[in-house]
Amino acid sequence: MNPRKVCSTLAAALCVLSINGAAARSGESGFDYFVVGDPADVVTPTAGGLLLAGGGKDIDAAFEWLIKKSGGGDVVVIRASGTDAYNPYIYGLGKVNSVETIVFKSRAASSDPFVLDKIRHAEALFIAGGDQANYLKYWQGTPVAAAINDLAVRHVPIGGTSAGLAILGEFSFSAREDTILSAQALADPFDRHLTLDRDFLRLATMKGIITDSHFVKRDRMGRLVTFLARLVEDGWARRARAVGIDEQTALLVEPDGRASLLGGGAAYFVGADQKPEICRAKAPLTYRHLAVYKLNRAGSFDLAKWRGRGGTAYRLSAEAGVLKSRQPGGAIY
């Protein structure tokens, strides 16, 4: 490929020369941009779907699935920290026109015409890990959020890992006051660190759902149960659903809600159909008889019908801030 300029129409933008398909630029509105491949836009047929990854090491087959659904077009990665490491990784997994990374450094970047043009013309979008508090701070209620929602409507595949997964549900743990451990959440469902948000994105298959990542490794079942308790107690949802995904594990969701799993871990689907018995400030949570479905690679799950096959179903309760399971041996996971 011949050297070419990669720039926006903004006079204030700093442009750099792109050689052999790799380029970088910074915008005064607060972002960095990197591309590998052809920065010129192409249009390819896409197929919708969601890649929900639990964090840790990425799974090649999951990104190959994303590439296939992109039709080999332009894959855009967005994040608020880190590097362009996804560019060569994804580009090396399959035939795509380009892989572009936008690193946001301010909310102003979410109104930048160059940034919006790149997102709107993506054939696949992936949200990297980092800090979901920054994602909500920079993107919620901005043209970036509108552009992502529009991609979903146009059947462009969307994915996210770790913090990127955390914001794909209708509801999210925003981490605006830092993170929270399961023991803290169960001991006080209104702990100041338990911050919830909603309506950042409106992805049809994620309606009524909150997600969590690094699930078993960081022992997050307790806080996920507490998230559900708060959603119902606060009146955000009459019926709340949650999906927790292990590290090095990815859930591939088709537009109709059918999902399959890749990787070495499991996904946990937790349903709450009733109000918690005790969910108030400075009191341990009591929330009984939640339905859990543990999915591994041998099975599948339908998010639309909220039922699975080939996995393990069991009941879980929080009693005075302690999780109790009806699985043999009382296993929580």
Side-chain angles (χ1 to χ4, degrees):
M1 178 169 55
N2 292 328
R4 61 185 302 158
K5 289 279 188 177
V6 182
C7 61
S8 92
T9 58
L10 297 178
L14 170 65
C15 301
V16 298
L17 196 63
S18 170
I19 302 175
N20 296 325
R25 70 182 284 284
S26 294
E28 288 190 359
S29 57
F31 67 91
D32 290 332
Y33 168 80
F34 308 88
V35 59
V36 61
D38 186 351
D41 181 50
V42 298
V43 178
T44 60
T46 62
L50 296 175
L51 191 174
L52 310 181
K57 185 178 179 181
D58 293 304
I59 300 170
D60 292 357
F63 283 93
E64 290 166 356
W65 179 87
L66 193 74
I67 288 169
K68 182 177 180 181
K69 284 188 169 289
S70 79
D74 299 307
V75 180
V76 175
V77 178
I78 58 175
R79 59 195 311 164
S81 61
T83 69
D84 63 336
Y86 272 114
N87 284 13
Y89 169 66
I90 297 173
Y91 195 75
L93 289 175
K95 182 176 173 53
V96 295
N97 182 63
S98 71
V99 185
E100 303 164 273
T101 290
I102 302 168
V103 183
F104 288 75
K105 298 181 177 182
S106 73
R107 186 174 173 88
S110 294
S111 298
D112 186 281
F114 178 86
V115 168
L116 295 174
D117 180 74
K118 288 300 179 182
I119 293 175
R120 288 169 179 156
H121 290 91
E123 277 73 45
L125 181 84
F126 187 76
I127 306 173
D131 184 345
Q132 63 259 39
N134 285 329
Y135 293 167
L136 292 168
K137 179 172 68 175
Y138 292 162
W139 302 337
Q140 190 171 34
T142 72
V144 161
I148 298 172
N149 283 323
D150 184 59
L151 291 180
V153 171
R154 292 192 286 111
H155 306 293
V156 171
I158 295 170
T161 186
S162 191
L165 168 66
I167 59 172
L168 291 181
E170 178 183 355
F171 309 112
S172 62
F173 169 57
S174 64
R176 292 185 189 273
E177 298 292 336
D178 206 352
T179 193
I180 188 168
L181 302 178
S182 285
Q184 291 174 272
L186 289 166
D188 181 359
F190 286 84
D191 185 295
R192 70 178 185 86
H193 295 97
L194 202 160
T195 54
L196 300 176
D197 223 302
R198 60 178 169 177
D199 296 330
F200 165 56
L201 296 179
R202 292 183 289 277
L203 308 179
T205 50
M206 300 299 286
K207 184 174 177 57
I209 294 174
I210 190 167
T211 64
D212 212 346
S213 58
H214 305 278
F215 202 59
V216 171
K217 184 173 182 179
R218 299 187 185 179
D219 189 22
R220 286 182 163 171
M221 182 67 83
R223 79 177 199 173
L224 197 66
V225 167
T226 311
F227 295 164
L228 291 175
R230 281 288 306 276
L231 292 177
V232 177
E233 183 69 22
D234 294 354
W236 286 15
R238 183 181 63 83
R239 172 182 294 178
R241 300 286 184 257
V243 180
I245 303 176
D246 283 338
E247 288 189 1
Q248 300 180 38
T249 305
L251 190 70
L252 309 180
V253 184
E254 297 296 338
D256 63 1
R258 291 178 298 112
S260 58
L261 204 67
L262 294 175
Y268 297 82
F269 303 85
V270 188
D273 295 326
Q274 72 285 344
K275 291 193 71 172
E277 289 90 331
I278 301 173
C279 183
R280 61 176 183 265
K282 302 187 185 306
L285 177 68
T286 294
Y287 202 8
R288 294 187 174 95
H289 311 307
L290 279 73
V292 182
Y293 195 86
K294 179 181 178 179
L295 178 69
N296 53 35
R297 291 189 66 172
S300 62
F301 196 86
D302 190 320
L303 290 175
K305 298 177 180 177
W306 202 256
R307 68 186 184 197
R309 65 175 182 84
T312 302
Y314 59 100
R315 292 279 173 171
L316 191 68
S317 296
E319 298 184 4
V322 178
L323 289 184
K324 297 184 179 181
S325 171
R326 291 188 181 177
Q327 284 202 95
I332 302 301
Y333 296 100

